[in-house]
Amino acid sequence: MATHPKETDPAIRVKALESLLTEKGLIDPKALDALVDTFEHKVGPRNGAKVVAKAWVDPAYRQRLLSDGTAAIKELGYSGLQGEDMVVLENTDEVHNVVVCTLCSCYPWPTLGLPPVWYKSAPYRARVVADPRGVLAEFGVSVPETTEVRVWDTTAELRYLVLPKRPEGTDGLSESQLADLVTRDSMIGVGVVAAP
Amino acid sequence: MLLTPEIVPGLVAAGASARIAAHVAPRFRAGDRVRIRNLNPATHTRLPRYLRGKIGIVEVDYGVFVFPDTHAHGLGEKPQHCYSVRFTGRELWGPAAPERDTLRADLFDDYMDPA
């Protein structure tokens, strides 16, 4: 069979799948538009940032978040598809958590939205498990030798959100000012939250 | 069932947990030492290749879930426990790996043997 380089283009494969599912009467293409619109425009990492900021200012919430992530995140109204079973990982002086899905691109949609392209890329997935400190350094994160780097490979149905360390010198900030500091990367574990 | 735009908001809000209310005895408990089976199926699996044959410690029993390896192929839910399993960097990558660093993976009963 002749090979056509364009056949490997994911956009073409997606189009073919969509046509097939539509012809078989399994989907209305407008439903896919609604799904894409939801996760591109309505859901994103600002949700996760609000969870993090609340955990920083409310010790009882932080406790609930660490013991039952799904329920505590739902308190703020974030739940559902790809966030059904959430586990929150707290970064401390002792442990720096970083999340990957080596098998594909599993990611906590209700709190972070859709994964960035690099998260789905083969190099990130392969390298962050074998050389996490090297990959973190490329993201500008230097973890002291005395801190354990703990990589979480999202291989099954649990979804992980990192609770980054609150930056020093932010005592006077409100919860919403703190939320503005929290980056998507810090909630994956490839970033740290900087003071303003 | 036809996926229509009307279904989308409910689907997004409710999700579809793979957690299942089946009573299945766990094969392992937190603290157990396990060896990951050397399985190489050509079909769907959630067992990453780099863990095959490695020794880990069960940290958390997350409960009972549908087993993706069979469910993906219409071969039944085969409900079983899924665990967070801890591996040292050195077990996975050899003596050059930093001593403190570790990895956690979520692994099903069918992937592991006592070690």
Side-chain angles (χ1 to χ4, degrees), chain A residues 73-94:
Chain A
I73 290 167
K74 196 171 182 176
E75 286 179 36
L76 300 196
Y78 313 129
S79 63
L81 211 56
Q82 292 297 310
E84 295 94 342
D85 290 283
M86 291 294 301
V87 177
V88 176
L89 312 167
E90 185 180 36
N91 279 353
T92 64
D93 290 340
E94 286 73 43

Side-chain angles (χ1 to χ4, degrees), chain A residues 25-32 34-35 38-39 43 79-82 84-85 87 100 102-103 106 110 126 128-133 144-160, chain B residues 1-6 8-9 11-19 45-51 59 62 65-68 82-84 86 89 92-93 97-98 100-108 111:
Chain A
L26 293 169
I27 59 162
D28 174 345
K30 287 199 188 75
L32 298 188
L35 272 169
T38 301
F39 287 101
V43 180
S79 63
L81 211 56
Q82 292 297 310
E84 295 94 342
D85 290 283
V87 177
V100 63
T102 61
L103 298 174
C106 294
V128 80
V129 286
D131 178 21
R133 287 175 189 267
E145 257 180 56
T146 49
T147 300
E148 172 191 338
V149 172
R150 192 176 291 176
V151 180
W152 295 78
D153 191 353
T154 311
T155 49
E157 316 302 345
L158 291 305
R159 295 291 175 269
Y160 295 99
Chain B
M1 192 183 86
L2 174 67
L3 179 64
T4 61
E6 295 71 44
V8 167
L11 175 73
V12 167
S17 179
R19 202 179 272 283
T45 185
R46 299 293 181 82
L47 174 57
R49 192 166 291 268
Y50 70 92
L51 295 178
E59 282 235 314
Y62 281 133
F65 290 82
V66 166
F67 187 47
C82 179
Y83 311 85
S84 178
R86 176 178 86 239
L92 301 179
W93 314 110
R100 281 174 202 276
D101 295 355
T102 63
L103 178 138
R104 303 286 187 286
D106 299 336
L107 301 173
F108 292 89
Y111 295 161

Side-chain angles (χ1 to χ4, degrees), chain A residues 37-160:
Chain A
D37 180 60
T38 301
F39 287 101
E40 281 199 341
H41 302 295
K42 296 173 187 152
V43 180
R46 299 336 300 161
N47 291 359
K50 287 177 191 156
V51 171
V52 168
K54 186 168 177 61
W56 283 346
V57 300
D58 181 344
Y61 182 74
R62 174 182 156 275
Q63 209 51 53
R64 293 201 294 283
L65 187 66
L66 295 174
S67 60
D68 184 347
T70 315
I73 290 167
K74 196 171 182 176
E75 286 179 36
L76 300 196
Y78 313 129
S79 63
L81 211 56
Q82 292 297 310
E84 295 94 342
D85 290 283
M86 291 294 301
V87 177
V88 176
L89 312 167
E90 185 180 36
N91 279 353
T92 64
D93 290 340
E94 286 73 43
V95 179
H96 180 93
N97 297 285
V98 55
V99 181
V100 63
C101 172
T102 61
L103 298 174
C104 50
S105 56
C106 294
Y107 194 72
W109 293 1
T111 40
L112 294 188
L114 296 178
V117 171
W118 57 259
Y119 184 86
K120 300 183 273 187
S121 74
Y124 176 73
R125 287 154 49 201
R127 292 183 54 227
V128 80
V129 286
D131 178 21
R133 287 175 189 267
V135 171
L136 288 172
E138 289 168 24
F139 276 97
V141 176
S142 166
V143 180
E145 257 180 56
T146 49
T147 300
E148 172 191 338
V149 172
R150 192 176 291 176
V151 180
W152 295 78
D153 191 353
T154 311
T155 49
E157 316 302 345
L158 291 305
R159 295 291 175 269
Y160 295 99

